[in-house]
Amino acid sequence: MKRFSCLPVARQFACALSLALALPVTAEVADTRHYDIPAGDPLGRQLSRVATEAGLPLSFDPSLTQGLTSPALSGELAPREVLGRLLQGSGLMLVEKPDGSFTLARRDVSVLMPLEVSADAIGWDAMPGAYAGGQVARGGSVGILGQKDVMETPFSTISYTEQRLQDLQAQDIGAVIGATDPSVYVPSKRNLFETYFVRGFSSSADDMTFNGLVGMAPNLRGVTEVAERVELLKGPSALLNGMLPGGSVAGSVNIVPKRAGKEPLARITTSYESDSLWGGHVDLGQRFGDNQQWGVRFNGVYRDGDTPVDGQQHRMQLASLGLDWRGENARVSVDLYSQQEDMDRINYFGIFAVADGVTRVPTPKHGDYSLAPDWAYTSNESDTVVLRGEYDLTDTVTAYAAWGHKDGGYDALVDRSMLLNDAGDISTLAARSARDGTVKSAEVGVRGDLTTGWVRHAWSLSANQFESDSSFRDAYFFDHVQTNYYDLDFGVAPDLTDYNQSPADTSASGSKLRSIAIADTLSFADDRYQLTLGARRQNVRSDNYGADGAKTAEYDASRTSPSAALLVRVSDALSLYANYIEGLSQGATAPVAAANAGEVLEPYQTKQYEIGAKWDLGAFAHTLSLFQIKKPNAYTDPDTLVFGTYGEQRNRGLEWSFVGEPLPRTRLLGGASYTEAEVTRSLNGANEGNQVTGVPKVLAKVGAEYDLARVPGLTLTAGVVHTGKRYVNNSHRLAVPDYTTFDVGARYVTRLLAKSLTLRARVQNVTNEAYWLGSWNGGDGSGLSGGLGAPRTFLMSATVDF
């Protein structure tokens, strides 16, 4: 594997940690005071008293707090923390002015206030601030359209904050987007790589972006500790982001890397997951210079131990460094990270296929039952550097550019199993696979604002390029062993002598994605009506090479993907929107038996139509959307034997999501969805009208938090996830039933030796429900490839700010 700095990963981790510890971090916890604030006092009076005693310049319109009362607070607390707690559930927020003073603003009109940004942001990357409750942001990046408030975004989006990631104790991105979002179904945990459904279409870690750049996210699985935000855009996004390398059209996930904030940070977190997976996380950050123009943020993670699955071990190592410089007219950032993951007794994908003779699904065992051989393993790594900058050409025009380089790959020996009969007999194929390669990604663009007559334009021009070169070597050991689901014994590992001694079997592939895009948002009547129009011209080139270096296949095609979206601000609290947007996937290759064998089809264009409404009640927001997505499918015509794009999958759905603080000290995040994912065209009409494999029609989720007034600092948490029935094959012969899981937990924020201490505990699947996750629909449209659901799992962590 290629490296760009200290070797190996353990040394690189130590190298970066030494650098970070050498920084002159002078983080000090703000002075604390003892507060005894009774419930029911006028809120305005208590806010003014706390600010005056602490020397914080606070002024506000008294009418904002008229009729509002304070919650009870008691204990040793920092003044800013007290102000934040007093405002929880009030519909108000604290806003810092450019001169360093503070004021109050209503959350229901904050979308019109340019000052309402993340408190730690300066200049160009001043991300939208957190919404009531702090779990999600008020907006986020929307590709070529830049940063947008959610109420002015004509698409369905959500951006999870760093606070949400910490409180959820999520260790990977799938755990974040799948916990409460009704559009997302995650059919696996700790399989070979992260997979997830969004609006009924599958995607994976390969199509995540890092700091907006395609291909720069970690291989196979991303960790949360490097992320300040995790942004999810639901549905196709060809105009906004370009074609994703894996060709998924489910949606796009962007990992926003951490930046140093205004206040120095020195934070250590220790974590535990049953059975004995222990971890440590160091997070250090500080800004330098007369105007804090220089910033450094370091994150180091090490986890190692046994997971809740019998015999399974997991090790994760991460070292990341985020550097940035913020000038008056220019901003530059550099992100470097190295990640390595090792897993033993790893499963490829549950029971990958089910034979035609099977008439019933086996009874699910509890999730600690391993479906993987003890000889199975995987190791993957990513070494990445991403550079991004922008320059203000004028007060209204900004040019930007980004470049990224990633080296990495994986090395694995896994099984692929088929269920043979109702007795539970299983045939196992062993697969030895290795990948190594380089990914390069870049984009340049310019965006600006101008006014023509009574129309304001927010326009963007962008061009990007993604280039991937990789070598790979695979060996398959068919029918390696036969065993039984109820008494698994995978025997000894296959003999790899020939594989290890035959490097000449290595093949190679290269792909290049290039595109150019233009978009314009036309705003009328004081921005109450906003029409976004745009198009992207995408070119896809792919080449495959055999072991002798000779080209075995090539592909070069282009497509144009238009888009249109309308948003109407009915009021400051209500937005209505509609959009048409496309997704783009690389065309399939005709199989050997086809009359046009080897021909690569034109890129698939997936089309989405969506209408929706966003209602912000000030501290509790709702989104309701209705969508239809059509994706083409390819197969060989039985009469002409010509392989072509003849099939189609159509997903129609209704989604309702909510977030915020409906009551004082109470936070909710979740929603429900109904998705009909149907085969609308197929070979000989087979399975037409059937729900697609692995996609539940019904998803309902809610995460809840409640702050106990009698015990300041203590928060109780709970979560419920209901997943509807999923079919195991497209013919609907087999299905797995619905299931519901429950989580409970608590969080306690206190001070220890004048240091901020946060203790978190969570029990996932508290009833130890046994269930099949269902199929990932990984290729043949049948199987239990999601494997068994996770068992009862205990999570604990302790975080100290020095």
Side-chain angles (χ1 to χ4, degrees):
M1 304 280 177
K2 300 177 181 178
R3 300 287 187 182
F4 64 83
S5 58
C6 307
L7 294 173
V9 170
R11 285 175 57 195
Q12 188 173 43
F13 178 89
C15 176
L17 179 59
S18 298
L19 171 64
L21 291 177
L23 295 176
V25 178
T26 58
E28 297 289 344
V29 177
D31 292 339
T32 60
R33 300 168 183 264
H34 184 81
Y35 290 92
D36 281 308
I37 299 178
D41 267 14
L43 179 61
R45 184 173 66 187
Q46 289 294 352
L47 290 171
S48 298
R49 182 179 70 84
V50 170
T52 300
E53 291 178 354
L56 292 175
L58 173 66
S59 61
F60 56 89
D61 183 350
S63 66
L64 291 174
T65 59
Q66 186 174 358
L68 299 178
T69 58
S70 65
L73 288 177
S74 179
E76 294 287 333
L77 299 168
R80 286 285 297 272
E81 186 178 0
V82 173
L83 293 175
R85 292 193 184 188
L86 288 173
L87 290 172
Q88 283 185 359
S90 68
L92 302 174
M93 63 183 179
L94 193 68
V95 177
E96 185 174 359
K97 298 180 181 180
D99 61 4
S101 64
F102 296 85
T103 188
L104 299 181
R106 294 188 186 278
R107 292 188 182 274
D108 56 354
V109 299
S110 61
V111 294
L112 302 180
M113 297 181 59
L115 293 175
E116 203 260 322
V117 298
S118 172
D120 287 337
I122 300 174
W124 68 286
D125 54 351
M127 297 178 296
Y131 188 69
Q135 297 178 316
V136 305
R138 297 198 62 92
S141 174
V142 194
I144 191 176
L145 303 182
Q147 295 278 349
K148 293 185 73 69
D149 187 278
V150 68
M151 295 295 287
E152 296 191 342
T153 302
F155 304 97
S156 184
T157 63
I158 189 167
S159 179
Y160 297 98
T161 64
E162 182 183 358
Q163 184 64 48
R164 170 62 176 169
L165 272 57
Q166 292 173 348
D167 291 341
L168 192 60
Q169 299 181 80
Q171 297 176 357
D172 50 59
I173 303 301
V176 177
I177 64 175
T180 53
D181 197 295
S183 306
V184 179
Y185 172 55
V186 180
S188 63
K189 180 179 181 180
R190 291 202 178 98
N191 283 340
L192 188 64
F193 61 94
E194 281 197 282
T195 60
Y196 48 91
F197 285 92
V198 182
R199 291 187 167 176
F201 287 102
S202 61
S203 186
S204 70
D206 290 343
D207 282 345
M208 292 181 187
T209 60
F210 182 85
N211 202 13
L213 268 187
V214 173
M216 292 298 106
N219 290 328
L220 304 186
R221 197 182 326 275
V223 298
T224 59
E225 285 89 350
V226 74
E228 186 161 336
R229 299 276 169 89
V230 174
E231 301 172 333
L232 171 64
L233 185 148
K234 305 167 192 178
S237 60
L239 168 68
L240 305 176
N241 301 300
M243 177 177 166
L244 301 175
S248 65
V249 296
S252 59
V253 177
N254 182 43
I255 301 172
V256 181
K258 291 179 178 178
R259 293 284 175 262
K262 291 182 179 179
E263 299 298 326
L265 175 69
R267 176 177 295 159
I268 294 179
T269 299
T270 59
S271 63
Y272 166 83
E273 177 180 340
S274 56
D275 286 337
S276 60
L277 183 59
W278 296 89
H281 173 208
V282 177
D283 189 355
L284 305 172
Q286 185 164 345
R287 302 206 68 82
F288 303 91
D290 296 338
N291 297 311
Q292 293 191 325
Q293 63 267 36
W294 298 94
V296 180
R297 185 79 176 263
F298 169 81
N299 279 266
V301 178
Y302 184 84
R303 281 192 289 271
D304 192 7
D306 297 331
T307 78
V309 178
D310 289 342
Q312 187 180 84
Q313 292 182 318
H314 188 197
R315 182 187 302 109
M316 177 68 75
Q317 301 173 87
L318 168 75
S320 73
L321 194 62
L323 310 172
D324 70 277
W325 174 79
R326 298 161 175 169
E328 183 177 354
N329 297 312
R331 283 75 58 188
V332 178
S333 68
V334 181
D335 291 284
L336 305 98
Y337 73 81
S338 178
Q339 176 179 310
Q340 179 168 329
E341 179 187 49
D342 300 286
M343 295 189 69
D344 294 326
R345 203 163 191 176
I346 178 67
N347 191 259
Y348 178 66
F349 280 119
I351 298 176
F352 190 77
V354 175
D356 291 338
V358 178
T359 62
R360 61 182 177 85
V361 176
T363 302
K365 293 179 178 290
H366 291 296
D368 57 357
Y369 187 71
S370 176
L371 297 176
D374 57 8
W375 42 260
Y377 66 88
T378 183
S379 176
N380 74 81
E381 55 187 13
S382 306
D383 292 327
T384 306
V385 56
V386 174
L387 172 67
R388 179 175 288 276
E390 60 181 47
Y391 182 77
D392 298 330
L393 301 175
T394 69
D395 290 341
T396 59
V397 179
T398 298
Y400 62 92
W403 172 86
H405 179 103
K406 179 174 72 175
D407 289 330
Y410 70 86
D411 200 335
L413 173 63
V414 293
D415 71 299
R416 291 177 59 171
S417 299
M418 173 181 281
L419 184 66
L420 300 175
N421 51 46
D422 290 346
D425 292 328
I426 287 176
S427 175
T428 296
L429 173 154
R432 179 72 173 89
S433 181
R435 296 285 190 277
D436 197 3
T438 298
V439 175
K440 300 176 183 178
S441 187
E443 69 171 343
V444 295
V446 59
R447 64 170 60 101
D449 290 277
L450 63 88
T451 300
T452 58
W454 45 275
V455 180
R456 185 173 71 87
H457 300 263
W459 55 271
S460 301
L461 290 171
S462 174
N464 61 24
Q465 176 172 301
F466 166 90
E467 187 173 351
S468 173
D469 293 292
S470 62
S471 60
F472 53 92
R473 191 152 54 101
D474 297 330
Y476 299 99
F477 303 86
F478 296 94
D479 201 19
H480 173 66
V481 68
Q482 288 202 9
T483 184
N484 189 278
Y485 164 72
Y486 299 101
D487 186 19
L488 289 172
D489 182 1
F490 292 98
V492 298
D495 184 358
L496 300 175
T497 302
D498 291 342
Y499 178 89
N500 294 331
Q501 295 178 353
S502 58
D505 293 339
T506 299
S507 301
S509 67
S511 63
K512 183 177 292 186
L513 310 177
R514 292 176 173 174
S515 72
I516 184 169
I518 182 171
D520 186 13
T521 298
L522 298 85
S523 300
F524 314 86
D526 295 328
D527 295 343
R528 293 294 178 182
Y529 302 92
Q530 301 179 23
L531 175 64
T532 299
L533 302 173
R536 183 180 294 271
R537 180 67 174 177
Q538 181 84 52
N539 175 261
V540 185
R541 180 178 177 84
S542 178
D543 299 293
N544 294 327
Y545 301 88
D548 58 359
K551 184 180 294 186
T552 58
E554 62 180 339
Y555 174 77
D556 193 343
S558 299
R559 282 271 186 159
T560 299
S561 300
S563 180
L566 175 66
L567 183 135
V568 179
R569 294 296 304 270
V570 179
S571 68
D572 290 337
L574 177 63
S575 293
L576 305 178
Y577 72 94
N579 67 63
Y580 168 81
I581 192 168
E582 296 184 354
L584 204 59
S585 307
Q586 184 171 322
T589 302
V592 175
N596 56 336
E599 179 184 347
V600 182
L601 304 181
E602 290 291 307
Y604 301 148
Q605 286 183 300
T606 299
K607 302 177 180 180
Q608 172 181 277
Y609 299 88
E610 179 183 12
I611 58 174
K614 301 179 182 183
W615 188 24
D616 185 356
L617 299 175
F620 195 44
H622 301 257
T623 299
L624 184 68
S625 60
L626 183 67
F627 67 87
Q628 173 180 284
I629 306 174
K630 289 185 177 181
K631 180 183 179 182
N633 292 324
Y635 60 84
T636 302
D637 187 291
D639 297 325
T640 65
L641 297 182
V642 174
F643 184 78
T645 306
Y646 310 124
E648 183 183 73
Q649 176 181 335
R650 183 190 66 202
N651 290 11
R652 288 175 172 171
L654 177 66
E655 297 168 354
W656 166 53
S657 60
F658 51 81
V659 61
E661 296 179 325
L663 298 170
R665 302 186 300 278
T666 303
R667 292 172 290 282
L668 294 178
L669 179 60
S673 67
Y674 180 84
T675 303
E676 289 186 345
E678 295 184 355
V679 178
T680 51
R681 294 204 310 267
S682 65
L683 176 63
N684 296 326
N687 306 321
E688 288 185 6
N690 286 357
Q691 182 81 357
V692 173
T693 299
V695 180
K697 284 190 174 182
V698 176
L699 280 173
K701 307 176 182 181
V702 61
E705 295 188 352
Y706 180 73
D707 301 329
L708 267 68
R710 295 185 178 181
V711 186
L714 180 61
T715 300
L716 303 181
T717 66
V720 181
V721 175
H722 175 78
T723 304
K725 180 174 72 173
R726 287 129 294 130
Y727 290 100
V728 175
N729 46 27
N730 287 336
S731 66
H732 285 193
R733 289 187 304 106
L734 299 172
V736 291
D738 62 337
Y739 65 90
T740 303
T741 59
F742 301 89
D743 300 346
V744 296
R747 181 173 68 251
Y748 183 57
V749 180
T750 185
R751 307 192 74 79
L752 179 65
L753 301 177
K755 310 299 182 183
S756 174
L757 172 66
T758 302
L759 303 175
R760 300 178 178 91
R762 187 178 184 90
V763 184
Q764 297 175 331
N765 190 9
V766 67
T767 62
N768 203 23
E769 178 83 2
Y771 58 94
W772 289 105
L773 282 164
S775 174
W776 177 62
N777 196 13
D780 63 356
S782 66
L784 296 166
S785 53
L788 295 166
R792 181 189 296 120
T793 304
F794 297 89
L795 299 169
M796 293 185 291
S797 69
T799 299
V800 179
D801 286 1
F802 292 94

